[in-house]
Structures are given as C-alpha cells and as structure tokens.
C-alpha cells in the first residue's frame, strides 16, 4: 500500500513559495473532464507555491500539458504539440516543460527523452509533487513521479477554478472495472472515493462563490462508496441536492451494470438533479459486450433505460459507442444500430476501436480493418445525427428553463445557455431602450424553442 506522506514540511514549502513568487505557469488540458478538474488541482497546488497563472504559453516560465491516453490519436496529438513547444524552448532556454496525466503515467520515463524537451513527467496520483519537481527542473534536473496510490483523492486541495458558473468536482479517482479495451485502470489506478461530507462542503462553497452548476465526476460514479460512513452515490447525490437546493447538479459517468433503482429514484426525487444521464453502452451485441468485460447484457441495459424512462419520462440520454472492436462482425454492428434505434439517444460519442498496449484486448488482436471500422463509424454517426435531429425537432414549441452561460461563440448578439437535459439553447440577447438586460450570466430564464439542428436548439425568451 502506498500511503501518501507530505513531501515537504511547512517552512520548506514557504521557502519555495517565496522563491517562485511571480513565476508564470501555463497549463494545457487534454482528455476528459477528470483531467480538466485535475489541472485545476495542479494549479491550486502551484498557486499555493507562489505561481501566477497565465493563458499565454509565450509568457510562461513553466508549461504543463495534462495528457490523455485513451486512444492512439489522443497521444499523437500530444507528440505533435511537443514539436511546437520546441520553439518556445528555443526562445526561452530556461522554460520548463512537463507532462502530466494519463499518457505520462502510461509512457513514464520514455517521455523524458522526447525531443530533448520534457523536464518532468508526473502521473495522476503525484500532483502534490509538481512544485518540487518543477523546482528541480529549474535547477536543471529532469524528474519523474508516476507512483499510483490507493488513497490519494486530493480531498484537502482547493482546485483553482477559472471564474464561471459551472464547476467540476471529482468525487472519486481510478477505476476497477477493467473493461478489456480500456487504459484507464492502468493510468489512474484503483478506485477510491472522497468522503461524502467533504464533497458536500465543496459543493456548498461553490454555491457561496457564485457557481450555479456542479458536475460530480468519476469514471464510474455508481460505485462511489464513502468507506467510513458506507454512503453510496445515491446518498451523495441526495445530500448535495438537499444542501444546495438551487444548484443544478449533474454527474458523469455511469456504468450500466451499477445503475441502481435507488439512484434512479433519487434523481427523480430532486428537481435540482439534472435529468440527463450519460450511460455508455459501447456495443449492442452481447457477444462483444462479453469480450469487452462490460458485465451487462443488452437486455439488462434496456431494462435500466426502461426504468429511467418510467421514473423520468423527459430524461435525456447519451452514450459512448466503440466500433470495430476485435472480432466485431457485420451482424454485431447491425445489433448496435438496432439498439441505437430502440433507445433513441439524444446524443452519442462514437469512436473507432484503438488497441491499447497492456490491456486484455491488446492480446485479442485488432482484426477489423480500418476501412471497415470507419465505414461502420460513419454509419452510426449518420444514424445518431438523424435521431438527434428528430428529437430536437420534437422540442420545437416547448419552453425550457435555461441556465444562461453568456454570449454564443458564433455571434455575440446571441447568447447561449443549457437546459437541465444538457441541450445548448441559443437565443437573442434582448436589451431594453437603456441597452440593459434584465438577466445576467448564471440566471435561469424561460426560452421557447422555435427551431433546431441536431446539436442545438434556437429560441426566444418568454
Ligand atoms: N468510464 C467511462 C468511460 C471513460 S473513457 C465508462 O466506462 O463509460 C470514454 C470512452 O472512450 C469510453 O466510454 C469508450 O467508449 C471510449 N474508449 C475507451 N477506450 C477506448 C479504446 N481503446 N478505443 C476506442 N474507444 C475507447
Ligand atoms: Fe475504462 Fe471501463 Fe473503467 Fe470506463 S468503466 S474507465 S471504460 S475500465
Ligand atoms: Fe483520457 Fe485519462 Fe480521461 S486516458 S479520458 S484523460 S482518464
């Protein structure tokens, strides 16, 4: 067992903080929301050590890339980014470049040789050591810290969040599911949960600091377990919903195997728990699900969906699907299409299977040729777009409570917000004669939908 012990005592920490005063840190984040929250944790740690944050890599003394390893193309992106960073290092010889996250954990020391550029490599459970390793790098020493922990949850660290209305809150780390295709159990280690009280306190503080929405994060939130009290994920959701009744509460990701009746009933009970579930299915073929070690059948999955719809008829659903997993046939693929037609997801994230070294599936081979994978992928993307488009058309004429996020990216005259079902809504930003608006970012306003696309709803305020 790897119990985390404080690396530096307080006066040593203070001394380092004073030395670093005014040094600028730039962090770039790849991968999932857990990585986004981890970057905020690293920035929290570095801020405490006297670093200032910058959004411009040109101004930075330290550049950290928080990386992802989920598919080969995620890693390729990082290698390409490192090529660019070489120019920054040419301009500033003292620049420190570090790799954090899942790819750092997976490739470890191999990355230190990369383009003579990388000064430190730090895995997801060693972020407390980033200041020390950066300090060493500034003195010219390369460093690596990639030990995985059974206990680290960064419970006591306050993430440095950029201002906004929506916050990510990690409630657990790691994953014990070992789906055969997946690298996460190797890059993030064993599953462990934060204490319920600590999560509820953080959510309460976020509300006090002006946040209006939180998303509770874990690779498989349904197996959240506060070991001391025995509380499960449904208890945690209910506790958050009760503690801050006007805060919108979301979560991701659920595993279909552990999607309990209690959780569904709890979601239905509280108005401020958003009616949106991301429930990755991966495949519509029982044979493939078994090879993936997903622990559920299509029948079980559909029964869970039926239960969700019974309790929350308007709950939006999304999923993840992998095409071209080893031995996937046309028949398996047809079953996936069939399932998509049956469930009618509001949205889906769809991927070509990408073999990852050291996973069980790695040894099963990668026998579906790329052109077939891509043809299948295109087919399910087209099907999903058609379904999303039809579902969104059926929202026309309905009124939604929309949490206002601010100007839309395309046209600042228009603003955007989100429904509780997680749909983006675009609406004109109406101003009165004094050029004033009677709502601000973070308010909930009612919007009636007038038209839609497969990805977006468009409407006006009512
Ligand atoms: N914990 C979540 C998923 C995390 S990864 C869950 O179990 O649902 C996000 C998605 O990436 C997965 O749902 C899966 O669809 C996809 N994915 C993971 N490993 C992959 C691989 N090797 N190739 C292609 N897609 C993969
Ligand atoms: Fe990966 Fe499966 Fe864990 Fe999700 S549940 S992170 S897919 S091993
Ligand atoms: Fe990527 Fe790691 Fe998240 S592999 S998807 S950053 S858990």
């Amino acid at each position: 067992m790897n119990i985390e012990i404080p690396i530096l005592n307080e006066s040593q920490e203070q001394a380092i903080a004073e030395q670093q005063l005014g040094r600028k840190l730039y962090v770039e984040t790849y991968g999932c929301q857990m990585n986004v929250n981890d970057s905020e944790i690293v920035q929290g740690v570095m801020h405490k050590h006297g670093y200032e944050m910058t959004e411009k890599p040109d101004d930075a003394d330290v550049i950290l890339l928080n990386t992802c390893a989920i598919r080969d193309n995620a890693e390729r992106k990082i290698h390409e980014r490192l090529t660019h960073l070489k120019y920054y290092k040419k301009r500033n010889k003292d620049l420190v470049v570090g790799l954090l996250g899942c790819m750092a954990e997976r490739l470890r020391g191999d990355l230190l040789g990369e383009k003579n550029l990388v000064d430190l490599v730090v895995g997801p459970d060693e972020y407390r050591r980033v200041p020390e390793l950066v300090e060493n790098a500034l003195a010219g020493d390369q460093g690596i810290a990639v030990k995985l922990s059974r206990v680290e949850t960064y419970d006591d660290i306050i993430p440095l969040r950029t201002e906004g209305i929506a916050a990510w809150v990690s409630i657990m780390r790691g994953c014990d599911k070992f789906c055969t295709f997946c690298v996460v159990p190797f890059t993030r280690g064993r599953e462990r949960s934060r204490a319920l009280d600590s999560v509820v306190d953080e959510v309460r503080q976020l509300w006090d600091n002006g946040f209006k929405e939180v998303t509770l994060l874990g690779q498989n939130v349904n197996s959240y377990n506060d070991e001391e009290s025995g509380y499960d994920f449904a208890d945690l959701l209910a506790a958050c919903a009760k503690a801050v009744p006007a805060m919108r509460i979301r979560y991701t990701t659920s595993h279909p195997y552990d999607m309990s009746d209690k959780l569904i009933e709890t979601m239905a009970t509280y108005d401020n728990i958003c009616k949106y579930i991301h429930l990755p299915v991966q495949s519509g073929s029982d044979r493939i699900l078994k090879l993936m070690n997903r622990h559920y059948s299509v029948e079980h999955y559909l029964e869970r969906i039926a239960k969700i719809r019974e309790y929350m008829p308007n709950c939006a659903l999304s999923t993840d699907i992998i095409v071209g997993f080893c031995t996937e046939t046309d028949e398996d693929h047809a079953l996936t299409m069939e399932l998509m037609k049956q469930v009618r997801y509001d949205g889906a994230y769809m991927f070509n299977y990408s073999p990852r070294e050291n996973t069980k599936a790695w040894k099963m081979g990668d026998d579906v040729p790329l052109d077939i994978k891509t043809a299948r992928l295109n087919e399910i993307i087209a099907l999903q777009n058609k379904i999303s488009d039809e579902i969104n058309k059926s929202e026309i004429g309905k009124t939604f409570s929309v949490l206002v996020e601010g100007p839309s990216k395309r046209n600042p005259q228009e603003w955007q917000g989100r429904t509780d079902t997680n749909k983006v809504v675009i609406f004109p930003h109406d101003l009165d004669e004094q050029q004033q608006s009677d709502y601000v970012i973070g308010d909930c306003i009612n919007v009636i939908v007038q038209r839609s696309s497969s990805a977006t709803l468009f409407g006006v305020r009512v």
Side-chain angles (χ1 to χ4, degrees):
M1 186 139 130
N2 161 28
I3 306 259
E4 291 296 318
I5 41 166
I7 312 291
L8 300 171
N9 67 34
E10 228 166 82
S11 63
Q12 285 169 312
E13 280 200 355
Q14 179 106 28
I16 291 186
E18 276 164 18
Q19 276 173 29
Q20 303 312 338
L21 231 52
R23 281 200 197 271
K24 291 205 172 82
L25 168 67
Y26 169 79
V27 182
E28 204 166 272
T29 308
Y30 297 80
C32 63
Q33 290 98 330
M34 298 215 60
N35 253 16
V36 174
N37 189 228
D38 278 0
S39 288
E40 294 170 341
I41 288 171
V42 171
Q43 291 179 78
V45 171
M46 292 293 274
H47 184 66
K48 209 174 142 208
H49 279 80
Y51 284 83
E52 283 172 31
M53 305 305 135
T54 174
E55 307 214 322
K56 295 189 202 130
D58 276 309
D59 291 348
D61 302 291
V62 180
I63 294 181
L64 299 175
L65 305 187
N66 193 1
T67 63
C68 173
I70 200 82
R71 285 169 289 276
D72 187 53
N73 55 11
E75 291 194 356
R76 217 157 359 166
K77 229 192 268 173
I78 307 290
H79 289 298
E80 276 163 25
R81 185 63 179 135
L82 283 174
T83 306
H84 283 116
L85 289 188
K86 223 174 163 168
Y87 296 103
Y88 293 98
K89 207 146 188 172
K90 262 196 191 138
R91 264 177 276 161
N92 173 7
K93 292 259 177 306
D94 298 324
L95 177 71
V96 168
V97 173
L99 292 183
L100 317 177
C102 293
M103 181 184 171
E105 186 64 47
R106 194 179 88 75
L107 295 175
R108 302 181 163 207
D110 293 355
L111 291 168
L112 286 174
E114 181 102 14
K115 301 180 176 71
N116 269 336
L117 179 70
V118 178
D119 301 295
L120 56 140
V121 172
V122 188
D125 286 346
E126 297 257 47
Y127 294 151
R128 289 177 200 270
R129 294 188 58 194
V130 173
E132 172 210 336
L133 291 164
V134 168
E135 170 78 356
N136 294 345
L138 287 163
D141 293 332
Q142 281 190 320
I144 179 162
V146 289
K147 229 189 269 161
L148 289 170
S149 158
R150 284 178 181 268
V151 292
E152 178 63 274
T153 59
Y154 302 114
D155 213 17
D156 57 317
I157 289 177
I158 301 165
L160 191 70
R161 295 184 168 94
T162 42
E163 275 166 44
I165 54 164
W168 308 109
V169 176
S170 297
I171 60 163
M172 58 196 297
R173 301 183 71 83
C175 183
D176 286 351
K177 280 276 183 267
F178 285 94
C179 303
T180 54
F181 52 79
C182 185
V183 77
V184 172
F186 303 95
T187 61
R188 290 193 164 253
R190 299 286 61 73
E191 208 168 84
R192 66 219 100 115
S193 299
R194 286 174 61 184
L196 178 136
D197 289 341
S198 142
V199 175
V200 174
D201 281 348
E202 185 171 348
V203 171
R204 214 181 267 122
Q205 277 167 25
L206 286 167
W207 177 259
D208 293 342
N209 290 333
F211 287 88
K212 306 292 181 196
E213 182 179 293
V214 291
T215 305
L216 307 181
L217 296 178
Q219 289 301 348
N220 171 19
V221 290
N222 314 83
S223 45
Y224 171 86
N225 169 32
D226 177 352
E227 269 179 19
E228 242 161 64
S229 62
Y231 288 126
D232 64 13
F233 182 60
D235 299 325
L236 176 69
L237 259 191
C240 292
K242 269 191 275 192
V244 199
M247 179 81 103
R248 273 189 178 184
I249 296 170
R250 303 186 181 282
Y251 66 88
T252 200
T253 300
S254 285
H255 192 290
Y257 175 77
D258 301 317
M259 186 84 209
S260 68
D261 284 358
K262 181 178 168 188
L263 175 56
I264 297 169
E265 286 157 19
T266 303
M267 278 186 80
T269 305
Y270 295 92
D271 283 342
N272 61 327
I273 302 180
C274 293
K275 303 299 178 275
Y276 164 67
I277 303 176
H278 182 61
L279 198 61
V281 69
Q282 313 300 359
S283 169
S285 155
D286 281 337
R287 191 182 68 82
I288 295 291
L289 288 174
K290 199 155 197 173
L291 282 178
M292 289 177 162
N293 193 33
R294 288 290 287 183
H295 298 288
Y296 54 83
S297 61
V298 170
E299 190 188 349
H300 170 86
Y301 187 87
L302 290 174
E303 190 272 320
R304 293 291 81 195
I305 298 282
K307 179 90 185 178
I308 291 165
R309 291 204 161 134
E310 179 194 337
Y311 277 77
M312 297 172 284
N314 295 321
C315 187
L317 286 165
S318 63
T319 199
D320 293 342
I321 295 172
I322 297 176
V323 297
F325 188 67
C326 13
T327 76
E328 187 188 71
T329 61
D330 284 342
E331 288 71 42
D332 296 315
H333 173 61
L335 288 168
T336 299
M337 303 266 289
E338 198 43 51
L339 178 83
M340 292 169 73
K341 287 182 200 157
Q342 234 173 311
V343 177
R344 292 181 64 79
Y345 295 103
D346 293 82
Y349 301 89
M350 296 161 278
F351 313 101
N352 273 353
Y353 170 57
S354 167
R356 310 311 287 135
E357 223 170 328
N358 293 326
T359 59
K360 268 216 164 133
W362 176 260
K363 290 172 215 106
M364 299 178 196
D366 181 22
D367 60 354
V368 179
L370 182 62
D371 56 335
I372 294 186
K373 276 185 192 167
T374 303
R376 287 180 188 164
L377 183 65
N378 288 337
E379 216 178 332
I380 64 167
I381 290 173
L383 172 61
Q384 184 53 48
N385 280 344
K386 180 171 165 282
I387 293 171
S388 298
D389 196 45
E390 286 166 4
I391 294 177
N392 284 352
K393 278 218 170 68
S394 74
E395 311 282 35
I396 293 172
K398 291 186 197 159
T399 299
F400 290 92
S401 171
V402 171
L403 177 61
V404 178
E405 290 173 355
S408 87
K409 275 162 225 133
R410 281 206 200 143
N411 172 5
Q413 308 294 304
E414 291 182 324
W415 276 32
Q416 75 167 47
R418 225 167 265 263
T419 66
D420 128 291
T421 51
N422 208 30
K423 298 205 172 166
V424 174
V425 183
I426 307 281
F427 50 91
H429 183 45
D430 27 47
L431 300 171
D432 61 18
E433 287 103 55
Q434 278 87 46
Q435 296 297 299
Q436 301 284 324
S437 166
D438 63 350
Y439 58 85
V440 293
I441 292 171
D443 284 349
C444 274
I445 60 169
N446 283 329
V447 175
I448 182 163
V449 177
Q450 293 178 319
R451 69 193 171 83
S452 68
S453 70
S454 61
T456 316
L457 305 176
F458 301 86
V460 291
R461 189 175 177 212
V462 286

